[in-house]
Amino acid sequence: MASRTSDIRVADELTSPSASPRLDKNSSQIAWLSVIIMICVVLPLVISGITGSLSIPHNDSWAYSKIAQYFGETGRIRLVGWNRSSLMGQVLILGPAGTSLVVQHLFVALCGAVCIVAGYLLVRPRVGGSAALLIAAALGAVPEFGLLSTQFMADIPALAGTLVCLWAGDQAIRRSSAAWWWFAVVAGLWAVTIREQALVGLSAVLVAGWWLRRPSRRLVYASGILAVLIVVAFEVWRQSLPGGDPPTGSGALGAYRYEP
């Protein structure tokens, strides 16, 4: 009897005059978000396919594609000396499918769509749906976004992992949800295994969770310690691989002089 009463109440809410505009507005925002993805991700992908560049590596991604192809064929990592990014997250996730350049590029395009959706979902609770659509469109309108979404570079997958980490972390804190929290941590760690700079997104989520004590301080501490251990272990393993291209620097500060 209670279940039937609940079903009737839900049906009344969905058919009430105030619910209809809300549903129409959500449908409209989803439609506009789809349009943004079509213009900013699908259109460059179609152009790439028409011109034939969908099946060839672009710019520095020739090295990334070669690493992914070799891993797909042999199950082993062989670096080629042009991979200062962590990179492994976007190589390992493709597995045998990484032997295809087209699949590599389609994967990055999918990550581009994830960037737009995750960015929209992240800012919508703060600025509203219309402004969130504008922000998502601004992200996709960045000139490099369409270009990078059609090549196997690390930028778009790392951004996708970071934005998903921030969005899921926001959900975890708002809902005090352990499941959302672990989802955020996993997404953040995956982004770090593509580009180390993505560590800033995961760190922001951990600091916010610790500061607000949500979902709980104990969970934040445990996940933070685990994340540090995983990142350190990953970097030790990655730096041990032959043929890498670790970042280098020089302390040539003598070239800079102050002249009043």
Side-chain angles (χ1 to χ4, degrees):
M1 183 64 180
S3 176
R4 180 175 178 81
T5 303
S6 176
D7 291 342
I8 294 174
R9 186 183 302 114
V10 171
D12 290 341
E13 291 176 355
L14 292 176
T15 56
S16 65
S18 61
S20 181
R22 191 183 309 120
L23 291 175
D24 291 342
K25 186 175 181 179
N26 289 337
S27 300
S28 175
Q29 290 178 359
I30 292 174
W32 277 110
L33 191 62
S34 301
V35 170
I36 294 171
I37 293 173
M38 292 293 292
I39 295 174
C40 300
V41 178
V42 177
L43 181 59
L45 193 66
V46 170
I47 295 174
S48 181
I50 293 174
T51 59
S53 62
L54 192 63
S55 57
I56 60 174
H58 311 157
N59 301 328
D60 298 343
S61 68
W62 67 268
Y64 300 169
S65 293
K66 195 172 183 66
I67 295 168
Q69 286 182 317
Y70 186 80
F71 177 75
E73 293 169 354
T74 66
R76 299 194 300 273
I77 296 293
R78 184 178 66 184
L79 304 181
V80 294
W82 195 261
N83 45 275
R84 294 189 178 183
S85 298
S86 304
L87 187 64
M88 296 305 155
Q90 75 182 65
V91 169
L92 302 181
I93 196 172
L94 291 179
T99 57
S100 169
L101 288 170
V102 174
V103 170
Q104 292 177 13
H105 295 154
L106 290 176
F107 164 72
V108 176
L110 177 62
C111 289
V114 170
C115 287
I116 292 176
V117 173
Y120 166 80
L121 293 174
L122 175 62
V123 300
R124 186 179 64 177
R126 295 165 176 81
V127 300
S130 299
L133 286 172
L134 180 60
I135 292 171
L139 172 62
V142 173
E144 292 84 358
F145 190 88
L147 177 65
L148 291 172
S149 293
T150 59
Q151 44 186 289
F152 197 60
M153 295 290 285
D155 306 77
I156 296 298
L159 178 61
T162 301
L163 288 175
V164 169
C165 172
L166 293 173
W167 167 62
D170 181 57
Q171 292 295 310
I173 292 172
R174 288 174 179 271
R175 304 182 184 193
S176 194
S177 168
W180 276 102
W181 181 262
W182 284 114
F183 179 41
V185 171
V186 170
L189 286 172
W190 180 70
V192 172
T193 63
I194 300 174
R195 294 197 70 158
E196 291 94 334
Q197 295 92 329
L199 187 62
V200 72
L202 177 59
S203 300
V205 169
L206 290 171
V207 169
W210 173 82
W211 183 264
L212 298 172
R213 301 185 181 184
R214 294 172 69 101
S216 70
R217 278 279 178 92
R218 182 177 299 179
L219 179 60
V220 173
Y221 283 136
S223 59
I225 293 172
L226 181 62
V228 169
L229 293 176
I230 290 175
V231 170
V232 170
F234 169 77
E235 280 299 317
V236 170
W237 169 75
R238 188 178 75 89
Q239 297 297 340
S240 69
L241 295 174
D245 186 26
T248 58
S250 62
L253 298 179
Y256 300 93
R257 298 190 303 272
Y258 171 71
E259 296 181 1

